[in-house]
Amino acid sequence: MNLHHPEEVLQHPEEVLQRLADEQEIRALGYRFADACNRGDRAAFADLWSADGAWAIGSPFNVHARGLDDIMRTLEELSASWEFFVQMPHAPVVTLEGDGARSTWTMAEHAVSAAENRSYFNYARYDDRVVRHGGGWRFLERRYEYYYLDDEPLVVTGERP
Amino acid sequence: MNLHHPEEVLQHPEEVLQRLADEQEIRALGYRFADACNRGDRAAFADLWSADGAWAIGSPFNVHARGLDDIMRTLEELSASWEFFVQMPHAPVVTLEGDGARSTWTMAEHAVSAAENRSYFNYARYDDRVVRHGGGWRFLERRYEYYYLDDEPLVVTGERP
Amino acid sequence: MNLHHPEEVLQHPEEVLQRLADEQEIRALGYRFADACNRGDRAAFADLWSADGAWAIGSPFNVHARGLDDIMRTLEELSASWEFFVQMPHAPVVTLEGDGARSTWTMAEHAVSAAENRSYFNYARYDDRVVRHGGGWRFLERRYEYYYLDDEPLVVTGERP
């Protein structure tokens, strides 16, 4: 049953409003994650996670961070690898499940290290579990699994102003 | 006339809520389409279409599928062409029109067939007609028209884990 | 304090509804901008701006347009450079601030001029100030700052149908 039909808006407006607010904020969580990564805002990144959150990056890297301290250490290590890094989230699909929710995204990332003559480009899927935290939502778990990965050494031709 | 101004929320809250719910679900339809393609979930893909839906992919391929059986057959044929396929939807613009609606998207797609040493990359526009179906929304028509297409034979350098 | 928590929906539904409507329309403004650029719809592009709007494109191009006439002239000049241009907005983050708002986006753009054997690819950030205008929202300022720019001469291999 789809809950968005006109009668529900008239009969249960608070439920529709709550669902729209929850879905919008859960998508915003993924958007804020990418924005914080791309501008290098550590405080904004930390604010997205539950204190007992878990962050997993799949094969072939197999990174597992558990708890906010470990997550922030992992972010520092990953950030140190690249002069330039951009993450692009696409196609958020949110599923509310009682007091929690799941979200899934199609991701693209591109990074360059001119110093090491390395480039990193990938498509992947983020599968998330999110939880209510105070009045909002936080990531309890993000799992990144690669669809496609190209990390060959490359000649860097781009200018970075 | 823009309907989102503060007075409307006070005077006609049900109409604003219905519009937000409809727009959100119509965008979600396009996001779920990409997600289903990218993870290869046939059942989720089938669930997005009106039974009398039509799917058109423009020049130079000129694919036309009509009705759900034909649409699913077309999906099978397209999927068999590629080991890897990813679709990225951007910039949804939704226009509600009475009992139906239109949506339009800026798309990017990337696919690789290592076996055939072929790659496929494109930018395109999806123009959709969507209809209410029971309580929800379904695609009545999706038309994919290429802005840019690169399907030259390519040396595949990416690892796919 | 996060305002989306369940009690707020029951106690202040109009405020939640107004916030969702505003956030949705501000994101839609950025999506409509990309859509108008990509399909070349000048009238739709003009409709997104406050009459006293400002559009800035950062280093190394340093383009500054002020007022709608200047903005539209700038669009004409930029459009004349490329046979093909596509803009992809990602990760909208909206912050409501009294009667105005800010939005920020992670952007990608790709353009090709076969005639001049030139290509243009970039990642960037759009930082926007938006204002209520009548019942809706308009751009008061958009500032585009490059994260990454590749505008080397390139051999064009793509077909454009």
Side-chain angles (χ1 to χ4, degrees), chain B:
Chain B
M1 182 182 65
N2 188 298
L3 299 172
H4 285 185
H5 55 82
E7 291 174 19
E8 197 206 12
V9 162
L10 295 176
Q11 294 174 7
H12 306 289
E14 294 89 353
E15 291 176 21
V16 176
L17 183 57
Q18 185 65 51
R19 188 178 61 240
L20 294 186
D22 287 337
E23 289 177 4
Q24 184 155 307
E25 187 168 344
I26 291 165
R27 286 192 303 269
L29 203 62
Y31 291 142
R32 289 161 59 203
F33 184 98
D35 182 67
C37 288
N38 296 346
R39 67 172 71 224
D41 186 333
R42 300 287 190 276
F45 185 89
D47 199 40
L48 306 173
W49 291 92
S50 176
D52 59 343
W55 187 19
I57 299 171
S59 175
F61 299 113
N62 301 308
V63 174
H64 292 84
R66 186 164 293 276
L68 189 56
D69 289 350
D70 198 16
I71 285 170
M72 296 307 293
R73 222 167 13 239
T74 299
L75 178 67
E76 291 299 329
E77 289 171 14
L78 295 173
S79 302
S81 307
W82 308 110
E83 296 165 31
F84 160 76
F85 173 89
V86 69
Q87 177 182 91
M88 288 159 284
H90 305 90
V93 176
V94 173
T95 308
L96 300 175
E97 297 179 332
D99 272 353
R102 293 180 181 274
S103 54
T104 189
W105 302 77
T106 296
M107 309 297 295
E109 292 180 336
H110 196 169
V112 175
S113 168
E116 301 181 30
N117 195 31
R118 281 195 310 140
S119 172
Y120 163 84
F121 184 83
N122 70 80
Y123 302 113
R125 192 170 74 217
Y126 250 136
D127 288 305
D128 308 319
R129 288 192 298 149
V130 297
V131 289
R132 286 191 199 276
H133 177 92
W137 289 90
R138 298 279 176 94
F139 288 121
L140 183 62
E141 184 180 67
R142 302 210 87 185
R143 303 185 67 85
Y144 198 80
E145 296 290 341
Y146 292 90
Y147 283 129
Y148 175 96
L149 172 62
D150 183 348
D151 58 356
E152 299 286 310
L154 282 188
V155 177
V156 175
T157 61
E159 301 170 31
R160 284 173 302 287

Side-chain angles (χ1 to χ4, degrees), chain A residues 112-142:
Chain A
V112 175
S113 168
E116 301 181 29
N117 195 30
R118 281 195 311 138
S119 172
Y120 163 84
F121 184 84
N122 71 79
Y123 301 114
R125 192 170 74 217
Y126 250 135
D127 288 306
D128 308 320
R129 288 192 298 146
V130 297
V131 289
R132 286 190 199 277
H133 177 91
W137 290 89
R138 298 279 176 93
F139 288 120
L140 184 63
E141 184 181 66
R142 301 210 88 185

Side-chain angles (χ1 to χ4, degrees), chain A residues 24-25 38-39 110 159, chain C residues 2 4 23 104 106 123 149:
Chain A
Q24 183 155 307
E25 186 168 345
N38 296 345
R39 66 172 72 224
H110 196 169
E159 302 171 29
Chain C
N2 188 297
H4 285 184
E23 290 177 3
T104 189
T106 296
Y123 302 114
L149 172 62

